[in-house]
């Protein structure tokens, strides 16, 4: 919007200068040849300057539209990923780099017997059997360290004494997008 105002102000200044040159020509204080040369160069300067400013304005608007479209695509992608995460027919959870559980889908809740409310905010290492902790810790470090994806077999501790521990093969998936979590 500021560029559009600048174009209008620029035009007004140029037309004011044109008016002065015209009056100088009428008053015979400027020769006709000098007046025509001024108008020729002035018109070229005006058209080139105006075109440049309009290109800047148009590109600025295009960049703003492009940025809005990109933000909308990112939000749509995040929403699609959230929906897939919660609707998947596979046990999935997500952790931070420190191993804190930040997402826990319904299927892992059924498989492990651990409710989402009880898992969120806890270290994943506290939720597994002590014998599985070191292998899981190494797999998480490897995945977060950029070594790519991996798999590790773990035993989840059961929440009730009558329910046996659950053995799982976890596939660690690299970080998706800019979200600071890993999906397991």
């Amino acid at each position: 919007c500021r560029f559009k105002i600048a174009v209008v102000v620029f035009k007004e200044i140029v037309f004011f200068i044109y008016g002065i040159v015209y009056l100088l020509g009428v008053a015979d204080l400027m020769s006709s040849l000098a007046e025509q040369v001024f108008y020729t160069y002035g018109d070229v300067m005006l058209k080139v300057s105006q075109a440049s400013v309009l290109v800047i304005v148009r590109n600025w608007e295009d960049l703003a539209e492009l940025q809005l479209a990109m933000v909308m695509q990112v939000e749509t992608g995040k929403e699609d990923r959230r929906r897939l995460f919660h609707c998947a027919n596979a046990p999935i959870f997500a952790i931070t780099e420190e191993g804190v559980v930040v997402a826990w889908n319904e299927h892992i809740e059924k498989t492990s017997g651990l409710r989402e409310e009880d898992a969120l905010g806890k270290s994943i290492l506290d939720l597994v059997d002590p014998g599985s902790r070191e292998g899981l810790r190494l797999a998480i470090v490897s995945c977060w360290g950029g070594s790519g994806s991996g798999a590790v077999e773990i035993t989840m501790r059961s929440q009730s004494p009558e329910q046996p521990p659950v053995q799982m093969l976890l596939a660690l998936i690299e970080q998706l997008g800019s979200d600071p979590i890993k999906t397991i």
Side-chain angles (χ1 to χ4, degrees), residues 85-167:
F85 180 86
H86 289 289
C87 295
N89 194 18
I92 303 173
F93 61 92
I95 59 171
T96 64
E97 192 168 359
E98 294 79 28
V100 176
V101 176
V102 292
W104 192 263
N105 80 349
E106 184 179 320
H107 201 68
I108 195 159
E109 192 172 304
K110 291 177 186 174
T111 304
S112 69
L114 185 62
R115 296 181 327 176
E116 181 180 19
E117 302 83 41
D118 298 332
L120 292 180
K122 292 188 179 167
S123 171
I124 189 63
L125 298 175
D126 294 337
L127 302 176
V128 298
D129 188 66
S132 299
R133 288 184 184 153
E134 186 59 23
L136 179 58
R137 187 188 68 74
L138 291 174
I140 292 170
V141 167
S142 171
C143 191
W144 274 101
S147 300
S149 303
V152 63
E153 187 174 322
I154 64 160
T155 304
M156 294 287 287
R157 289 189 291 149
S158 61
Q159 296 304 304
S160 63
E162 55 275 350
Q163 184 181 7
V166 178
Q167 287 198 324

Side-chain angles (χ1 to χ4, degrees), residues 163-183:
Q163 184 181 7
V166 178
Q167 287 198 324
M168 295 181 177
L169 180 63
L170 296 183
L172 283 77
I173 304 169
E174 292 185 38
Q175 181 174 345
L176 302 171
S178 61
D179 289 346
I181 58 172
K182 293 279 183 170
T183 304

Side-chain angles (χ1 to χ4, degrees), residues 76-91:
T76 300
K78 284 182 181 178
E79 185 56 38
D80 288 347
R81 202 167 64 203
R82 272 188 225 103
R83 194 174 328 111
L84 177 64
F85 180 86
H86 289 289
C87 295
N89 194 18

